[in-house]
């Protein structure tokens, strides 16, 4: 990770200062378009007036000829202008990010107290900015700035939204994906420039957790108990139970009668609850800087139970097996919401490509360069 400062200037550390040179450096100069490039100069042969060379402190001016900057503090804003005041003056201020940064703090870079001044400032994003937490953007500028351009050549990637039911996520809802860039400012003249080949991607939302399977319907199970009932002289009954057989036993119970044994079947009816439903599958994670795996939600677990431990007869309803849990919703790809299920929540919303206020967006905006909402 690196953040390298460069400037258009400083000019006139020594030697003669001419109006023609000031015209070139301050009125005709165009800022460089890449961090490794150079400034260009418009054709400008018109005379420049001393009044044009006063330091302009108006923060509503998006293109001051002589900008307000720490380095330009000695340049007069009034009628006491002198050419010697332009020693070590600058026109533009650049910082170039390279390598990989997480939660890149743009105002926290070395702006030399110029962040809230009207000098045109360019923040080149040449490397990668990412985030591993959906609550924190990959890059952000949340302080008052004037005339700040965030010029994106590299990639800014929001964090994954976790799937519903996963560790750290809501129990059912999918988590919202993380923002790529946040740009909140009370200032003016701020913009984001999207270059061809760059990526500004909001993190995908997490999938909703699947609905738990319903419990199986209750039923009736019957247990059998077989026992003997004895009587003297004749075959006995079974007291309301079914008599399966009856036979004489050896031996007499009196001089004229023998014992008789009845084989009896007792039915014991039991109400049995249906089997428990399976658990809904966890929602799939959204795509993010911190997650590049499968977006597919987990399968639900199988329902269980059902049937009778003994047996069932006479058309009585059998306890039913619980239904399988529903598959979890799939996580969203870059700039997409997480999938919904039949549960009571929702898939997570996607993170934004850019979130904030008081900025404009230009450059090459396609489905390849920007994924997620980006306008203020």
């Amino acid at each position: 990770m690196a953040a390298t400062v460069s400037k258009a200037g400083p000019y006139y550390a020594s030697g003669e200062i001419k109006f023609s040179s000031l015209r070139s450096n301050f009125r005709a100069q165009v800022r460089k378009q890449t961090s490794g490039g150079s400034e260009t100069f418009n054709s400008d042969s018109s005379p420049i007036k001393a009044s044009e060379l006063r330091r302009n402190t108006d923060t509503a001016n998006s293109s001051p000829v002589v900008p307000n900057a720490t380095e330009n503090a000695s340049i007069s804003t009034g009628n006491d202008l002198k050419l010697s005041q332009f020693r070590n003056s600058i026109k533009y201020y650049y910082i170039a990010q390279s390598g990989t940064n997480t939660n890149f703090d743009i105002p926290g870079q070395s702006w030399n107290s110029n962040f809230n001044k009207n000098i045109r400032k360019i923040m080149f994003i040449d490397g990668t900015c990412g985030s591993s937490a959906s609550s924190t953007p990959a890059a952000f500028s949340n302080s008052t700035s004037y005339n700040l351009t965030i010029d994106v050549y590299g990639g800014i990637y929001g964090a994954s939204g976790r799937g519903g039911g996963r560790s750290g996520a809501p129990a059912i809802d999918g988590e919202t994906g993380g923002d790529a860039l946040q740009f909140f400012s009370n200032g003016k003249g701020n913009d984001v420039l999207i270059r061809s080949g760059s990526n500004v991607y909001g993190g995908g939302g997490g999938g909703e957790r699947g609905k738990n399977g319903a419990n199986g319907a209750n039923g009736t199970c019957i247990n059998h108990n077989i026992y003997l009932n004895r009587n003297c002289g004749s075959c006995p009954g079974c007291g309301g139970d079914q008599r399966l057989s009856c036979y004489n036993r050896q031996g007499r119970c009196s001089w004229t009668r023998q014992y008789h044994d009845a084989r009896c079947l007792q039915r014991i009816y039991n109400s049995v609850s249906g089997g428990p439903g399976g658990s809904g599958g966890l929602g799939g994670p959204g795509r993010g800087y911190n997650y590049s795996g499968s977006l597919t939600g987990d399968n639900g677990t199988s329902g269980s139970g059902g049937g009778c431990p003994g047996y069932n007869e006479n058309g009585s309803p059998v306890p039913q097996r619980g239904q399988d849990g529903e598959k979890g919703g799939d996580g969203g790809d870059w700039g997409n919401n997480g999938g919904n299920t039949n549960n009571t929540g929702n898939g997570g919303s996607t993170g934004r490509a850019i979130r904030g206020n008081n900025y404009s967006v230009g450059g090459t905006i396609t489905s390849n360069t920007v994924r997620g909402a980006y306008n203020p």
Side-chain angles (χ1 to χ4, degrees):
M1 97 183 187
T4 305
V5 174
S6 61
K7 306 172 187 180
Y11 299 116
Y12 316 118
S14 61
E16 183 180 10
I17 302 174
K18 297 181 179 182
F19 275 93
S20 60
S21 177
L22 292 171
R23 177 183 62 199
S24 176
N25 285 330
F26 286 93
R27 195 172 70 183
Q29 186 173 189
V30 179
R31 64 102 164 175
K32 63 184 180 181
Q33 298 299 303
T34 64
S35 60
S38 300
E39 292 77 18
T40 57
F41 297 85
N42 292 326
S43 177
D44 186 350
S45 58
S46 300
I48 190 167
K49 300 176 182 179
S51 60
E52 293 181 73
L53 292 171
R54 294 172 182 155
R55 177 166 53 93
N56 188 327
T57 61
D58 182 7
T59 54
N61 191 320
S62 62
S63 186
V65 174
V66 178
N68 188 28
T70 301
E71 291 83 348
N72 296 348
S74 62
I75 301 173
S76 174
T77 60
N79 295 325
D80 56 344
L81 185 72
K82 299 177 182 180
L83 296 187
S84 60
Q85 295 169 355
F86 282 84
R87 297 290 181 201
N88 298 309
S89 56
I90 66 172
K91 176 65 175 178
Y92 300 109
Y93 199 105
Y94 309 98
I95 295 181
Q97 179 273 342
S98 60
T100 299
N101 292 86
T102 54
N103 315 126
F104 186 63
D105 182 357
I106 294 172
Q109 305 307 306
S110 299
W111 295 103
N112 196 26
S113 300
N114 285 318
F115 203 70
N116 62 352
K117 295 180 171 63
N118 71 1
I119 185 171
R120 174 57 64 183
K121 299 168 285 292
I122 296 87
M123 178 75 246
F124 289 109
I125 303 294
D126 291 336
T128 297
C129 296
S131 176
S132 295
S134 62
S135 59
T136 308
F140 62 93
S141 180
N142 294 345
S143 298
T144 299
S145 59
Y146 297 94
N147 299 339
L148 171 65
T149 296
I150 301 175
D151 201 342
V152 186
Y153 282 90
I156 308 178
Y157 303 100
S160 162
R162 290 171 287 196
R166 295 185 185 273
S167 177
I172 295 175
D173 291 326
E175 186 178 46
T176 298
D179 293 338
L181 174 63
Q182 287 187 0
F183 198 167
F184 288 94
S185 174
N186 293 324
K188 299 178 179 179
N190 301 307
D191 66 303
V192 180
L193 189 55
I194 308 295
R195 301 290 188 167
S196 176
S198 66
N199 298 145
V200 183
Y201 290 175
E208 182 185 7
R209 183 168 189 166
K211 185 177 181 180
N212 291 339
N215 292 337
N218 298 337
T220 301
C221 292
I222 304 170
N223 291 329
H224 289 172
N225 179 35
I226 297 176
Y227 61 93
L228 296 178
N229 202 7
R230 177 174 292 178
N231 188 47
C232 182
S234 62
C235 192
C238 291
D241 295 330
Q242 181 181 356
R243 189 170 66 186
L244 299 176
S245 62
C246 189
Y247 56 91
N248 296 334
R249 290 180 59 87
Q250 291 183 353
R252 292 180 177 274
C253 57
S254 70
W255 288 106
T256 61
R257 293 182 292 180
Q258 289 182 304
Y259 285 110
H260 289 76
D261 285 345
R263 188 167 176 266
C264 300
L265 172 64
Q266 180 187 26
R267 292 178 174 85
I268 302 171
Y269 295 84
N270 300 299
S271 294
V272 178
S273 298
S279 298
L282 304 180
R287 181 78 66 223
Y289 171 77
N290 56 330
Y291 185 75
S292 59
S294 173
L295 306 181
T296 304
D298 292 355
N299 290 326
T301 61
S302 299
S304 59
C308 286
Y311 62 91
N312 179 272
E313 61 183 27
N314 298 327
S316 298
V318 178
Q320 300 297 303
R321 174 180 173 275
Q323 294 179 1
D324 295 342
E326 183 186 17
K327 174 184 171 295
D330 293 344
D333 209 336
W334 296 115
N336 285 277
N337 298 333
N340 293 326
T341 66
N342 292 312
N343 214 331
T344 58
N346 292 286
S349 299
T350 179
R352 289 178 61 101
I354 309 172
R355 185 188 300 273
N357 61 352
N358 295 325
Y359 65 86
S360 61
V361 182
T364 304
I365 301 173
T366 69
S367 59
N368 290 324
T369 59
V370 177
R371 296 186 184 174
Y374 58 88
N375 284 319

